């Protein structure tokens, strides 16, 4: 049965894997190109913030498009917009134009995620959804990690990288456009007030915000920081590969552990590990091998904070309101992703050391708040299973019922 369900989801999965290979290379390349253009940390922060603003706004409007033209044509439309924006970015190295284009790319990418992931979830029955989702997320993070190794290709001109990325994004439309399976029907959801969510699961909000502040700088600012500290493109590729791969491989073991205990304790442990590993990385950052190894485990704990926030929130609001509650956490995550790149430059006086100290500080602050919540509130009784998530991922009502 699982093989049949996976077969029905294979088209959007393949499209997203191809898309991720291109987008992973594009995101890091954009940061490194800004460094080569002698742009400062604030310029990189501006472009990064524009990207996450588009990622946050995109899902708010995609539903109308899906209803009007369907998932397949919507995927083709937004992939075309994304590919065109990337090619234009490569042609005109202007910081303000890049900020606008990164916003458009973020908007289009968020729409593509919603198209593909809602299709995957709808194509699987209750028993197969979890395994299909786990397979997709593992494939997503592996593809994202390996996309960093493409930085080692010796391009003769910077434009050639953007041309390659544009071509890969265009090719990502082939699996969904050639599929024989029907697209899903949008579902009706029960809404929850933001104030109710603040009262029921404040830790979920703060963990979502902190997760965004961490991952927002990992994806967009970390390559710039490494380049500033003298790392060449090959070294940047390896360190980025390590931190992303750790985030993908360790998410499920940590998540399953959270199903067997008070989830807040796992969030606290992840925060303390983030603090400790951040301090350790700051101390040994001059050793490339040690930094790469520590980054793997640091990615494992930091990438888990957001999905733990999602699962914790679902524990306290109940299954009928979980989808819209998760949507609010996703928005908060987007806000954190925009704030993080704007705060990080204040730490970059110490270059790579400052980056890791920033991560350590976020982990410490969230850990202290989590400990306070543990001491002042009883654990949830009607809990859900851990929900493995890529950042900005939306869930269906059926998926919430399953977990």
């Amino acid at each position: 049965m699982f093989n049949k369900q996976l077969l029905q989801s294979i088209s959007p999965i393949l499209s997203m894997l191809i898309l991720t290979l291109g987008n992973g290379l594009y995101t890091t390349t954009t940061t490194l190109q800004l460094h080569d253009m002698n742009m400062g940390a604030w310029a990189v922060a501006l472009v990064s913030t524009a990207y996450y603003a588009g990622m946050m706004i995109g899902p708010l409007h995609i539903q109308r498009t899906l209803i009007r033209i369907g998932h397949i044509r919507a995927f083709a439309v937004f992939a075309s917009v994304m590919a065109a924006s990337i090619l234009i970015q490569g042609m005109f190295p202007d910081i303000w134009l890049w900020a606008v284009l990164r916003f458009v790319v973020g908007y289009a990418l968020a729409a593509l995620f919603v198209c593909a992931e809602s299709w995957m979830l709808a194509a699987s029955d209750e028993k197969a959804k979890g395994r299909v989702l786990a397979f997709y997320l593992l494939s997503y993070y592996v593809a994202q990690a390996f996309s960093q190794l493409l930085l080692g290709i010796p391009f003769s001109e910077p434009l050639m990288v953007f041309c390659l990325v544009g071509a890969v994004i265009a090719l990502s439309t082939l699996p969904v456009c050639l599929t024989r399976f029907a697209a899903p029907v949008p579902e009706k959801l029960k809404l929850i007030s933001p104030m109710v969510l603040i009262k029921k699961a404040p830790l979920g909000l703060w963990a979502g915000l902190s997760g965004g502040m961490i991952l927002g700088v990992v994806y967009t600012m970390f390559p710039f920081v490494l380049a500033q500290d003298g790392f060449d493109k090959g070294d940047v590729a390896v360190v980025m590969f390590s931190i992303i791969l750790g985030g993908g491989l360790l998410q499920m073991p940590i998540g399953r552990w959270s199903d067997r205990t008070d989830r807040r304790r796992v969030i606290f442990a992840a925060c303390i590990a983030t603090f400790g590993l951040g301090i350790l990385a700051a101390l040994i950052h001059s050793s490339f091998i040690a930094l790469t190894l520590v980054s793997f485990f640091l990615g494992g704990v930091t990438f888990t904070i957001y999905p733990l926030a999602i699962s914790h929130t679902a524990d306290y609001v109940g299954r009928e309101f979980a989808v819209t509650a998760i949507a609010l956490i996703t928005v908060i995550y987007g806000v954190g992703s925009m704030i993080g790149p704007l705060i990080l430059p204040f730490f970059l006086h110490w270059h790579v050391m400052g980056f890791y100290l920033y991560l350590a500080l976020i982990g410490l602050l969230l850990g202290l708040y989590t400990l306070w919540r543990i001491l002042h509130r009883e654990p949830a009784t009607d809990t859900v299973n851990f929900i493995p998530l890529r950042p900005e991922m939306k869930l269906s009502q059926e998926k919430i019922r399953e977990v």
Side-chain angles (χ1 to χ4, degrees):
M1 177 61 72
F2 170 62
N3 292 335
K4 180 180 179 180
Q5 302 297 330
L6 181 60
L7 181 63
Q8 292 177 334
S9 302
I10 201 66
S11 293
I13 289 177
L14 286 176
S15 285
M16 292 311 302
L17 292 185
I18 297 172
L19 183 78
T20 300
L21 282 172
N23 183 63
L25 173 61
Y26 163 68
T27 299
T28 306
T29 295
T30 296
T31 302
L32 294 178
Q33 286 294 320
L34 289 169
H35 175 266
D36 293 342
M37 292 161 59
N38 295 318
M39 295 293 176
W42 287 106
V44 181
L46 170 67
V47 174
S48 302
T49 299
Y51 170 72
Y52 283 111
M55 286 286 288
M56 185 175 65
I57 295 174
L60 302 179
H61 302 96
I62 182 60
Q63 292 297 331
R64 294 181 181 178
T65 303
L66 292 179
I67 293 173
R68 187 169 68 253
I69 66 176
H71 284 65
I72 296 175
R73 284 190 291 175
F75 192 98
V77 166
F78 287 109
S80 299
V81 170
M82 184 176 176
S85 300
I86 291 170
L87 292 173
I88 295 172
Q89 179 179 331
M91 295 167 59
F92 302 102
D94 178 81
I95 183 66
W96 296 106
L97 178 61
W98 278 30
V100 173
L101 292 173
R102 285 288 278 163
F103 175 87
V104 175
V105 168
Y107 184 98
L109 181 62
L112 290 168
F113 278 131
V114 173
C115 286
E117 291 168 358
S118 61
W119 184 343
M120 276 177 240
L121 292 170
S124 306
D125 61 21
E126 292 289 331
K127 295 181 179 179
K129 272 186 174 70
R131 284 175 290 175
V132 169
L133 184 59
F135 174 80
Y136 159 65
L137 287 171
L138 177 61
S139 303
Y140 168 82
Y141 279 116
V142 169
Q144 193 175 58
F146 275 96
S147 71
Q148 304 303 301
L149 301 182
L150 298 178
L151 292 168
I153 299 176
F155 293 101
S156 57
E157 296 290 339
L159 176 60
M160 299 301 294
V161 187
F162 294 96
C163 290
L164 174 62
V165 173
V168 172
I169 299 301
L171 290 174
S172 71
T173 63
L174 294 181
V176 295
C177 289
L178 296 176
T179 187
R180 298 175 297 154
F181 299 105
V185 178
E187 60 193 26
K188 295 181 179 179
L189 302 175
K190 291 187 176 181
L191 302 179
I192 186 172
S193 166
M195 294 306 299
V196 173
L197 183 59
I198 291 174
K199 292 180 180 179
K200 285 182 172 291
L203 177 57
L205 291 172
W206 286 109
L209 180 70
S210 301
M213 293 178 68
I214 291 174
L215 296 189
V217 300
V218 167
Y219 282 122
T220 59
M221 298 292 289
F222 193 29
F224 173 81
V225 176
L226 292 171
Q228 270 200 328
D229 216 41
F231 288 78
D232 60 30
K233 285 188 177 181
D235 292 340
V236 172
V238 172
V239 177
M240 289 298 295
F241 170 85
S242 179
I243 197 168
I244 294 173
L245 188 65
L249 295 182
L250 298 183
Q251 184 175 137
M252 285 304 297
I254 294 175
R256 294 311 181 196
W257 173 37
S258 75
D259 288 339
R260 299 191 296 269
T261 185
D262 183 352
R263 207 181 310 275
R264 298 171 302 173
R265 297 181 183 274
V266 182
I267 296 175
F268 176 73
C271 292
I272 296 304
T274 298
F275 173 73
L277 290 170
I279 296 296
L280 177 61
L283 294 176
I284 54 89
H285 72 278
S286 58
S287 171
F288 172 72
I289 295 177
L291 182 65
T292 302
L293 181 62
V294 173
S295 294
F296 175 86
F297 293 102
L298 187 58
V301 293
T302 55
F303 279 55
T304 310
I305 291 175
Y306 170 71
L308 284 173
I310 292 293
S311 300
H312 167 80
T313 302
D315 288 341
Y316 281 93
V317 301
R319 287 169 172 78
E320 62 178 352
F321 295 108
V323 174
T324 49
I326 288 171
L328 289 174
I329 299 295
T330 301
V331 173
I332 294 297
Y333 169 89
V335 172
S337 300
M338 295 169 60
I339 293 175
L342 297 176
I343 296 177
L344 182 64
F346 293 105
F347 291 79
L348 294 188
H349 174 74
W350 302 283
H351 301 295
V352 173
M353 181 183 294
F355 174 84
Y356 284 111
L357 291 176
Y358 166 86
L359 297 186
L361 178 61
I362 298 298
L364 177 62
L365 293 177
L366 179 61
L368 291 175
Y369 178 70
T370 304
L371 179 61
W372 185 82
R373 295 299 300 176
I374 292 173
L375 296 176
H376 290 81
R377 188 178 187 182
E378 293 296 322
T381 54
D382 182 20
T383 61
V384 303
N385 289 333
F386 175 74
I387 306 173
L389 285 178
R390 174 196 59 75
E392 306 94 24
M393 185 171 181
K394 305 294 184 182
L395 290 182
S396 67
Q397 190 72 43
E398 285 79 9
K399 177 60 185 170
I400 295 297
R401 294 194 191 101
E402 176 200 349
V403 296

